[in-house]
Amino acid sequence: MPVRSILAGVGGYLPARIVTNAELATRLETSDAWIRDRTGIRQRHIAAAHETCAFMATAAARAALARAGAEPGEVDAILLATSTPDQAFPATALRVQAALGVPGGFGFDLSAACAGFVYALSVADGMIRSGQVRGVLVIGAEVYSRIMNWQDRGTCVLFGDGAGAVFLRAGEGRGSIDRGVLSTHLHAQGTLGDILYVDGAVGQPDKPGTLVMNGREVFRHAVVRLAEAVDEALAANALTRRDVDWLVPHQANLRIIDAMGKRLGLPAERVVVTVDRHANTSAASVPLALAEAVGDGRIRAGDLVLLEALGGGLTWGSALVRM
Ligand code: UT7
C-alpha cells in the first residue's frame, strides 16, 4: 500500500482579546454596517504582547498533538507557515520545537502569505510520501495586528491574529476512500506581487513594513483562481462536486466564501465559516476553521474535505483530504 499522510489531530489558538467592529469605529472612519456588508466580519482576536507567533503556534500545536494522542517524540518535522515570525531567525518553527520539548528532527518556516498553510501541508505531505518523515506538525500562525497600518481603514478592519495546526502521521491508503491527504495543488504568480504585500522587512533599512492591498484586484483574482483550484482538485482525483462533504476555505471575505460554496453546489451549512468571528488570520485561517469544525463534531472521520486559500504573491492552492 502506498504511504499517505493522515490528519491525526487538529488544534487552534485564538488570543483572548476580542475587538469588535464597533470598537474600531470609535477610532477610524468606518462602521459595523460597512465591515459586515462588505466582508461578513463582526469581530477579530488581537494578540497581547506575550502572544507572539511562537506562543500561539505552540498552543495550537499542543492541541493538535493532544487530539492525535501523539507524544513530542513522534514529531519528525515542524513546518510553520507565517508572514509574521517572532524573529528573522531562528525559524519560529524551532522556537515551537523547543517549547514543545520535541527531542529531534527538523523544522523551518515557510512564507506564502494566506496560502501558507496549504503550501506547508503540501510540502509535509510530499516528505511523508517519500518516506523522509513519519510525523509532521504543520502550523499556520500569524500576528497581522503587528503589520497593520492602523490608519488604513481599507485593510486594518480585515485581519486578526491566531494559530492553527495539524499533526500528520504516516499511514497507508489508496484511492479516494481511504483516509489521508488525497492531493495538493500549489500555484503562484509573482507578477501580481504588487496587489497585496508588506512594504518592508528586517532586511530593509528602517522599514519593518505594513500591509498594503488593492482589495478590489485581489477579490477579482481570488474568485477566478479559487474556482479553478476547486475544479483542479476534483479532476485530479476523478471526483465530482457531489463527493465533497465540506469546504474549508481561506477566511478573507464571506462573499468569496459564498461564491466558492455555490460553485461546489454545497449548502451553506457544509461550508465552514469563521471569518465573522476571526476575520482574516492569513496562514492560520484554514487550520483554525478546520480545528473548529472538527472540534465541534461537524467534520467527522470519513468526510471528504476540500481546503483552499489565496494570498499575497499571489499564491494559491488546494488540498483534498479524507478525514
Ligand atoms: O487574504 C488575502 C486575500 N484577500 C482578499 O481576498 C481580500 C479581497 N478583497 C476584499 O475582500 C474586498 O475588496 C474588500 C473587503 C477589501 C473591499 O471591499 P470592496 O467592495 O472591494 O470595496 P472597495 O475597496 O472598492 O471600497 C469601496 C468604498 C471606497 O469608497 P469610495 O471610493 O467608493 O468612495 C472605500 O474608500 O468603501 C470605502 N471603504 C470603507 N468605508 C468604510 C474602504 N474601507 C472602508 C471601511 N469602512 N473600513
Side-chain angles (χ1 to χ4, degrees):
M1 275 277 226
V3 176
R4 185 172 269 189
S5 314
I6 312 292
L7 264 73
V10 192
Y13 177 85
L14 288 160
R17 174 154 154 69
I18 290 172
V19 175
T20 62
N21 293 346
E23 182 179 339
L24 289 181
T26 63
R27 40 180 207 258
L28 273 173
E29 205 177 310
T30 188
S31 65
D32 177 47
W34 190 95
I35 300 170
R36 275 188 203 223
D37 289 353
R38 300 284 175 136
T39 70
I41 296 166
R42 292 190 278 120
Q43 60 173 51
R44 70 284 298 137
H45 292 251
I46 299 292
H50 71 282
E51 289 170 316
T52 65
C53 182
F55 178 94
M56 297 194 295
T58 301
R62 203 169 265 137
L65 290 177
R67 265 200 98 95
E71 296 296 326
E74 257 194 81
V75 179
D76 299 322
I78 302 175
L79 273 56
L80 195 155
T82 189
S83 304
T84 48
D86 284 21
Q87 296 158 304
F89 71 83
T92 301
L94 303 185
R95 297 296 189 196
V96 173
Q97 185 199 38
L100 291 175
V102 172
F106 61 92
F108 56 91
D109 293 353
L110 187 153
S111 164
C114 299
F117 179 77
V118 172
Y119 266 58
L121 189 66
S122 180
V123 174
D125 181 46
M127 287 177 162
I128 286 177
R129 283 178 193 259
S130 76
Q132 189 179 2
V133 290
R134 292 194 60 79
V136 186
L137 270 172
V138 183
I139 310 170
E142 302 279 18
V143 270
Y144 266 42
S145 60
R146 301 197 179 128
I147 55 163
M148 281 300 117
N149 173 355
W150 286 101
Q151 267 70 56
D152 177 13
R153 67 177 184 172
T155 54
C156 74
V157 304
L158 304 174
F159 293 90
D161 301 330
V166 302
F167 181 63
L168 296 180
R169 197 183 258 139
E172 288 182 341
R174 186 177 278 132
S176 61
I177 299 301
D178 289 346
R179 289 183 75 193
V181 177
L182 304 188
S183 67
T184 60
H185 290 88
L186 304 182
H187 298 279
Q189 192 173 346
T191 53
L192 293 172
D194 287 339
I195 63 173
L196 175 52
Y197 61 100
V198 176
D199 63 355
V202 285
Q204 297 216 23
D206 307 321
K207 219 176 168 201
T210 54
L211 183 141
V212 182
M213 177 166 74
N214 180 337
R216 230 177 261 189
E217 274 298 292
V218 176
F219 193 103
R220 204 166 62 79
H221 286 287
V223 173
V224 177
R225 295 306 182 198
L226 291 174
E228 288 170 1
V230 163
D231 291 344
E232 179 183 41
L234 294 175
N237 293 282
L239 293 167
T240 71
R241 291 159 196 206
R242 256 174 287 166
D243 295 311
V244 177
D245 295 305
W246 293 95
L247 176 65
V248 182
H250 174 45
Q251 308 285 322
N253 188 315
L254 193 56
R255 289 186 284 153
I256 300 174
I257 294 171
D258 284 346
M260 289 310 121
K262 286 208 180 80
R263 193 176 170 83
L264 280 166
L266 281 173
E269 61 272 18
R270 289 271 159 179
V271 179
V272 179
V273 174
T274 56
V275 69
D276 53 332
R277 288 157 293 124
H278 301 176
N280 182 346
T281 56
S282 191
S285 107
V286 168
L288 262 174
L290 189 64
E292 183 174 285
V294 170
D296 65 22
R298 270 179 291 167
I299 295 182
R300 296 184 190 179
D303 285 350
L304 186 69
V305 179
L306 181 55
L307 316 176
E308 45 89 333
L310 174 138
L314 282 189
T315 50
W316 68 97
S318 71
L320 197 61
V321 181
R322 180 72 68 183
M323 298 297 289

